[in-house]
Amino acid sequence: MSSSVTDLDLLEARTVFVLREAFRRVKPLGMLWSIGKDSTALLWMARKAFLGRIPFPVSLLDTGMEFPEVYAFRDELIAAWDLDYRNERCPPESSVDQTLAPGGRAAARKTEGLKALIGREKWRGVILGIRRDEQATRAKDRIFSPRAVDGSWNFRDQPPEFWNYYQTDVPDGAHLRIHPLLHWTELDIWRYTQREAIPFCSLYLARNGKRFRSLGESNITVPIDSNAATIEEVVAELAATSAPERAGRLMDHESEDAFERLRAGGYM
Amino acid sequence: MKTMPVVFAGHVDHGKSTLVARTLLDTGYFPDGKLAELEAAAQRRGVPLEISFLLDAFQIERDQAITIDATRIWFQSATRRYEIIDAPGHREFVRHMVSGASDAVAAVLVVDAGEGIGEQTRRHALLLPLVGVTRAIVAVNKMDAVNFDATRFRAIEDELRALFAQAGLTLVIAVPTVARDGDNVVHRSSRMPWYDGPAILEALDALDDRPEATMPLRFPVQDVYRRNEERILLGTVSGGRIEQGMTLLFSPSRETARVTQIVRFPASGTAAVAGEAVGLTLDRAIFVDPGDVASEIVDVPLVSTAFEATIFWLDAAPLRAGEHLRMRCGTRDTTVVPEAIHSRIDVATFHRNASEVIERNDIGDIALRSVQPAVLDVAFPALGRFALYRADAICGGGIVRSAEKQEERARRRSPNVSSNEHATHASDRMRRSGHRGLVVWLTGLPSSGKTTLATQLERALFADGWHAYVLDGDTLRTGLNGDLGFSLADRSENVRRTGEVAALFADAGTIAIVSLVSPQRADRERARAAAPDRFHEVFIKADIATCETRDVKGLYRRARAGEIPDFTGIGSPYEEPAAAELVIDTAAETVSVSFAGLLAYVREAGRL
């Protein structure tokens, strides 16, 4: 292997392979874009994979509760990258289980929104920008991960996946979650975003000693203490930290198995 | 900084997850707050804290203190970054182990000092080299339970060394550990003064990065993308280097073309090296499909329909000879049939025992026949490793041990015949006609709807400007097959001749639409072998009751009256296709829906 090929090149090539594999073998196909750093980097790689134009629709599961900066950034990129964007308005908070904590209610709305989106678009595959190092149950997920007709995840009986070979078929009505970023870490994403000069939402950079490390709904996401006001400083900060990325995402911490239950029920 | 993926494996409860967690704890990579979270959880449950709870993410895993599925975690030592793959040890979870280990370049195998080598230790030692991991560091763990006995440690080390040698796995070093307390994990232990070697992490740091062998150019085509007038071949270079202007040879067609452009976004380049995912354009319009492989003109991959392989089997239903499976090798899908099961490996003795079947979690040697030509390498991983699919689900995988070249096999089977090479190349004919030549083989019970669909298809393709022709069983019997009767042997010969004629039509660039009951699977396979790249089996499916109500020619009535002996479906069986390219259910669908499905399929298959 040439010494000019870096670790970021190899991570990118693997993601591109998965995206092309998904497009070739899974139809109809769509992608979720949370407007965050991961799915934006993934969109960039999808442009690389398909040589400029992404050949499938991208959707935000919109709770109406994103930060205003997030919506503004979204609109900019839709225009700049000529995206086939379809906004998916999630069902209102009053329609979900009111005994859930606030984070659980937001997750339930997005889970229902995703079900409605997949049902209406008849997607057999949906591409998501989750990573193994974000959260322990995501660490055990597959790149091509089947979900049952009701959207649930049978984590006890996952299909084998080895070398570059994936299980790319699901029964009618079921769908695949396709995870082309599973092998990336948070630090990799930032180093790559820096190298490729990919645009990202300004909330990730520190203002007045605070910045967002992970972006969720404005009522259930809190910023971290940070002075990283440039992407170089964000990379340096992450290389030194051992605090978990999703610490500011309240939905994960409402009980010990909070996230596992969200995901088994169809959350991303 | 590159990352080294390392798989941690071993028998259930020998302490893998604990070893990983201890490594993270002692390198400062335990995330803030995680330890306190786990202590609280353990206290609620009234059990002692297990460090491995960090990695056992699922509630059920923590409740039962087992690992269900492989997980990944990253950390950094003083010299490099690691991706740890923690693989479960239970027998029924071998597929998760394979899924995890196939990414790794080295292994840490954990063995309980008290219990010694377990069944899973042996299975993993066998599996690791098969998935490409050839080096292992051994942690002889729970040394405190054997009073830090050096003799016990040496005995296990010796036994493992012999075992690994048999399996083709290199034992880098054996390290005595107590993972729970951190002895010889990151820091050297003072409790085993008789051991003066490295701790586990030191041993890992001392491993070379995987030496990259020089590999010949391989570019498995993943997809063909059309942009304006351009056809761009998408793929990942798996060995060697591609440069603008280079002449490439494509397998299995063995056609050549020059690279005009290496297409990338946002900016194109002039070269691509192993590991890079790019697009290529060519100087002439040869026909390249997803699954084809580009190489240089010398040092080409094998094109083969018969090869030997060692496989691991993951499905609950065992593998037997004769079954149709799908094989994915590189980016190419073919239908394969295990012609012979040679042996299966006894995990206890490592002997290869003769066997008729390969059971779940077994490793064994088999001979595979590929219905369409496969493109293989014996020595290089990209085309030397494959996955097997049964009904669209991955059921096993393996590596190619040896392969017979297609030409050699053909020569061996018909030593006195050599096929006449046409001066006009198939791709020239395709360019002229504007579509591919195909055999569209409609098989099904009498009155299932074959002739109706065949006729409509011919008309629609003709209207498109395509060359299409129906070869109908009844029509052929008036001429070419006029000497044949209706004995089983004659019916089989009727199918054979039709298959050969259809193959010639397809070679000449026509869509040959065959409408023939062709009840025997073996006969249809022979027809497929006559046109291996172009044959599309379409199963016209309708139950016998439905066909009998239609009874277009009154044949069912006569068969029921005993006038037609051996009538397919009544006096003689119809063998349904095991792996038809297309199934059309005429009992459930209207004719127009069935026809639309068939037409769309053929247009796609015939498209250039």
Side-chain angles (χ1 to χ4, degrees):
Chain A
M1 193 167 295
S2 159
S3 57
S4 67
V5 176
T6 66
D7 63 327
L8 290 178
D9 293 331
L10 294 178
L11 291 169
E12 178 199 75
R14 189 158 181 202
T15 297
V16 167
F17 180 88
V18 170
L19 287 167
R20 289 172 173 175
E21 201 69 357
F23 183 62
R24 174 183 169 199
R25 300 185 189 275
V26 186
K27 290 181 176 83
L29 183 67
M31 177 174 160
L32 291 192
W33 178 35
S34 72
I35 334 287
K37 64 192 188 305
D38 301 305
S39 55
T40 303
L42 183 55
L43 270 184
W44 173 254
M45 283 184 259
R47 297 178 83 210
K48 287 198 164 191
F50 305 105
L51 308 171
R53 189 155 199 295
I54 299 171
F56 40 76
V58 297
S59 286
L60 165 70
L61 299 176
D62 189 1
T63 55
M65 300 289 289
E66 303 290 348
F67 292 98
E69 292 88 338
V70 169
Y71 288 117
F73 176 68
R74 172 193 65 179
D75 296 340
E76 250 173 68
L77 224 53
I78 291 171
W81 289 1
D82 189 20
L83 301 175
D84 174 5
Y85 176 80
R86 304 184 190 175
N87 199 68
E88 181 65 23
R89 190 75 191 193
C90 296
E93 183 150 323
S94 58
S95 72
V96 301
D97 185 351
Q98 295 299 305
T99 65
L100 291 171
R105 289 203 290 269
R109 292 178 65 200
K110 286 204 243 186
T111 303
E112 288 310 309
L114 180 56
K115 277 183 200 169
L117 177 65
I118 290 171
R120 195 181 54 254
E121 302 278 346
K122 304 268 183 297
W123 283 348
R124 223 179 170 86
V126 54
I127 298 170
L128 295 107
I130 66 165
R131 308 187 324 269
R132 287 199 176 105
D133 77 323
E134 278 178 281
Q135 203 282 328
T137 68
R138 287 181 174 170
K140 299 199 175 200
D141 212 330
R142 294 289 188 262
I143 295 178
F144 284 77
S145 183
R147 294 294 185 276
V149 173
D150 65 358
S152 66
W153 178 37
N154 183 2
F155 60 79
R156 282 177 225 196
D157 188 25
Q158 299 199 70
E161 211 170 69
F162 45 87
W163 301 317
N164 275 330
Y165 304 123
Y166 307 105
Q167 199 158 304
T168 46
D169 285 283
V170 282
D172 287 339
H175 70 275
L176 285 164
R177 300 277 174 90
I178 300 158
H179 303 135
L181 288 187
L182 214 51
H183 58 295
W184 292 67
T185 65
E186 182 188 16
L187 183 55
D188 294 331
I189 290 288
W190 279 116
R191 287 169 55 229
Y192 183 74
T193 300
Q194 181 184 12
R195 184 184 88 170
E196 303 279 310
I198 303 169
F200 58 91
C201 181
S202 60
L203 293 174
Y204 284 111
L205 299 180
R207 266 181 306 191
N208 306 321
K210 297 269 184 196
R211 75 174 189 93
F212 287 90
R213 191 165 158 197
S214 176
L215 283 177
E217 280 67 25
S218 52
N219 62 329
I220 51 164
T221 308
V222 293
I224 58 164
D225 292 330
S226 168
N227 290 314
T230 65
I231 189 164
E232 291 74 18
E233 288 166 359
V234 169
V235 168
E237 177 193 281
L238 290 174
T241 187
S242 66
E245 179 181 5
R246 290 180 63 92
R249 297 292 285 273
L250 303 181
M251 69 167 71
D252 300 14
H253 308 286
E254 288 164 350
S255 70
E256 183 193 343
D257 61 345
F259 206 70
E260 171 183 343
R261 287 193 293 146
L262 287 174
R263 297 207 72 219
Y267 188 69
M268 287 72 73
Chain B
M1 185 184 304
K2 288 199 184 174
T3 303
M4 180 183 271
V6 179
V7 59
F8 280 56
H11 195 82
V12 61
D13 290 338
H14 282 197
K16 299 167 308 296
S17 298
T18 309
L19 181 68
V20 173
R22 175 50 80 170
T23 308
L24 297 174
L25 191 65
D26 290 356
T27 50
Y29 264 72
F30 233 105
D32 289 353
K34 193 71 196 179
L35 195 56
E37 210 178 282
L38 292 172
E39 275 168 351
Q43 210 166 13
R44 269 203 304 281
R45 224 174 258 116
V47 294
L49 170 68
E50 289 287 341
I51 302 172
S52 60
F53 283 2
L54 172 68
L55 302 174
D56 290 340
F58 296 121
Q59 192 80 48
I60 178 180
E61 293 180 315
R62 290 190 296 263
D63 285 347
Q64 299 182 5
I66 55 161
T67 304
I68 283 187
D69 207 327
T71 194
R72 315 284 175 116
I73 199 150
W74 288 260
F75 79 101
Q76 203 168 314
S77 74
T79 59
R80 67 160 73 100
R81 194 163 76 140
Y82 290 95
E83 178 182 359
I84 293 183
I85 302 158
D86 177 48
H90 310 63
R91 187 177 192 282
E92 64 272 32
F93 295 157
V94 167
R95 64 188 156 144
H96 302 313
M97 157 73 193
V98 170
S99 302
S102 72
D103 283 342
V105 299
V108 174
L109 203 58
V110 185
V111 178
D112 185 311
E115 288 186 21
I117 293 169
E119 194 231 345
Q120 278 305 306
T121 316
R122 297 173 156 277
R123 200 173 287 278
H124 287 153
L126 270 178
L127 264 173
L128 286 168
L130 197 52
V131 297
V133 179
T134 56
R135 299 174 294 177
I137 293 167
V138 171
V140 180
N141 193 32
K142 306 189 190 177
M143 285 298 294
D144 55 335
V146 295
N147 298 317
F148 304 102
D149 180 5
T151 318
R152 176 71 187 149
F153 170 75
R154 297 287 171 219
I156 290 176
E157 183 186 2
D158 290 345
E159 200 184 339
L160 278 171
R161 204 172 284 282
L163 188 77
F164 281 17
Q166 265 181 291
L169 188 62
T170 304
L171 193 158
V172 178
I173 191 169
V175 182
T177 62
V178 184
R180 180 188 292 250
D181 301 338
D183 295 77
N184 287 332
V185 177
V186 171
H187 307 295
R188 295 194 185 193
S189 171
S190 58
R191 295 198 281 180
M192 289 168 275
W194 45 265
Y195 176 79
D196 60 2
I200 294 288
L201 186 60
E202 291 175 88
L204 279 170
D205 279 344
L207 285 177
D208 286 339
D209 271 332
R210 177 166 40 182
E212 294 293 343
T214 313
M215 292 200 229
L217 171 61
R218 296 288 183 266
F219 181 80
V221 177
Q222 193 180 2
D223 210 346
V224 179
Y225 205 63
R226 293 173 178 81
R227 189 170 69 178
N228 306 325
E229 293 303 296
E230 272 182 329
R231 288 164 55 84
I232 303 170
L233 314 182
L234 301 180
T236 305
V237 185
S238 66
R241 175 184 173 88
I242 299 185
E243 281 171 33
Q244 208 169 41
M246 187 185 236
T247 300
L248 297 181
L249 180 139
F250 290 84
S251 298
S253 73
R254 302 299 199 203
E255 292 198 67
T256 59
R258 280 180 49 227
V259 178
T260 48
Q261 221 190 140
I262 293 175
V263 189
R264 286 192 179 90
F265 176 86
S268 290
T270 55
V273 298
E276 292 187 288
V278 295
L280 304 180
T281 54
L282 304 176
D283 68 333
R284 49 189 215 102
I286 60 167
F287 297 107
V288 179
D289 286 318
D292 291 356
V293 179
S295 64
E296 294 195 59
I297 293 180
V298 292
D299 219 343
V300 301
L302 287 159
V303 175
S304 175
T305 54
F307 54 96
E308 302 286 324
T310 300
I311 64 159
F312 47 87
W313 188 249
L314 303 169
D315 200 36
L319 176 70
R320 293 170 201 281
E323 185 190 356
H324 281 70
L325 302 167
R326 296 292 290 171
M327 178 179 81
R328 193 165 290 172
C329 181
T331 55
R332 188 176 185 80
D333 287 7
T334 53
T335 303
V336 292
V337 183
E339 281 202 309
I341 310 283
H342 298 314
S343 59
R344 101 188 202 204
I345 299 179
D346 181 336
V347 176
T349 61
F350 280 20
H351 289 149
R352 291 176 133 83
N353 298 330
S355 175
E356 300 271 294
V357 295
I358 296 191
E359 307 265 4
R360 179 179 216 166
N361 297 327
D362 275 346
I363 295 165
D365 292 330
I366 64 172
L368 280 167
R369 176 170 63 81
S370 180
V371 175
Q372 304 88 12
V375 183
L376 307 170
D377 274 319
V378 176
F380 310 114
L383 301 174
R385 300 163 162 180
F386 57 85
L388 296 170
Y389 295 72
R390 176 188 258 168
D392 298 331
I394 292 189
C395 55
I399 56 178
V400 180
R401 294 292 188 194
S402 63
E404 186 178 25
K405 284 186 189 164
Q406 195 179 17
E407 310 88 82
E408 284 169 9
R409 183 174 170 89
R411 214 172 297 136
R412 190 163 56 73
R413 288 157 76 100
S414 311
N416 302 318
V417 182
S418 67
S419 68
N420 183 17
E421 285 285 329
H422 282 277
T424 312
H425 211 282
S427 61
D428 298 324
R429 295 180 198 281
M430 287 193 255
R431 245 192 310 277
R432 169 78 58 86
S433 57
H435 61 83
R436 286 165 203 260
L438 304 175
V439 177
V440 180
W441 189 280
L442 309 184
T443 171
L445 287 167
S447 293
S448 57
K450 299 180 298 298
T451 304
T452 307
L453 289 169
T455 317
Q456 288 191 15
L457 179 63
E458 184 189 50
R459 199 177 305 134
L461 293 175
F462 190 78
D464 285 351
W466 287 25
H467 301 285
Y469 191 80
V470 173
L471 293 168
D472 179 85
D474 291 344
T475 317
L476 287 173
R477 280 188 174 277
T478 63
L480 175 66
N481 296 340
D483 58 325
L484 299 176
F486 288 89
S487 69
L488 287 179
D490 276 5
R491 290 165 71 176
S492 182
E493 175 62 11
N494 182 36
V495 176
R496 189 189 72 78
R497 289 186 197 171
T498 310
E500 292 293 342
V501 171
L504 292 175
F505 269 72
D507 194 44
T510 298
I511 312 277
I513 305 163
V514 176
S515 163
L516 200 59
V517 177
S518 46
Q520 298 203 55
R521 210 173 278 156
D523 288 342
R524 296 192 302 263
E525 283 309 305
R526 206 157 45 163
R528 182 190 288 276
D533 284 333
R534 304 190 177 108
F535 190 88
H536 297 258
E537 187 175 17
V538 181
F539 177 29
I540 308 300
K541 190 177 168 187
D543 55 274
I544 183 115
T546 306
C547 295
E548 201 159 349
T549 16
R550 292 176 186 154
D551 203 8
V552 188
K553 300 173 192 161
L555 295 173
Y556 282 93
R557 190 177 38 76
R558 290 175 56 204
R560 289 289 182 201
E563 292 171 31
I564 311 175
D566 295 333
F567 186 76
T568 303
I570 294 177
S572 146
Y574 175 79
E575 297 172 5
E576 293 197 357
E581 275 77 5
L582 181 67
V583 178
I584 291 190
D585 190 342
T586 63
E589 301 167 351
T590 62
V591 175
S592 62
V593 169
S594 294
F595 173 65
L598 177 63
L599 181 62
Y601 176 84
V602 174
R603 277 183 177 152
E604 183 59 33
R607 196 162 71 113
L608 292 183

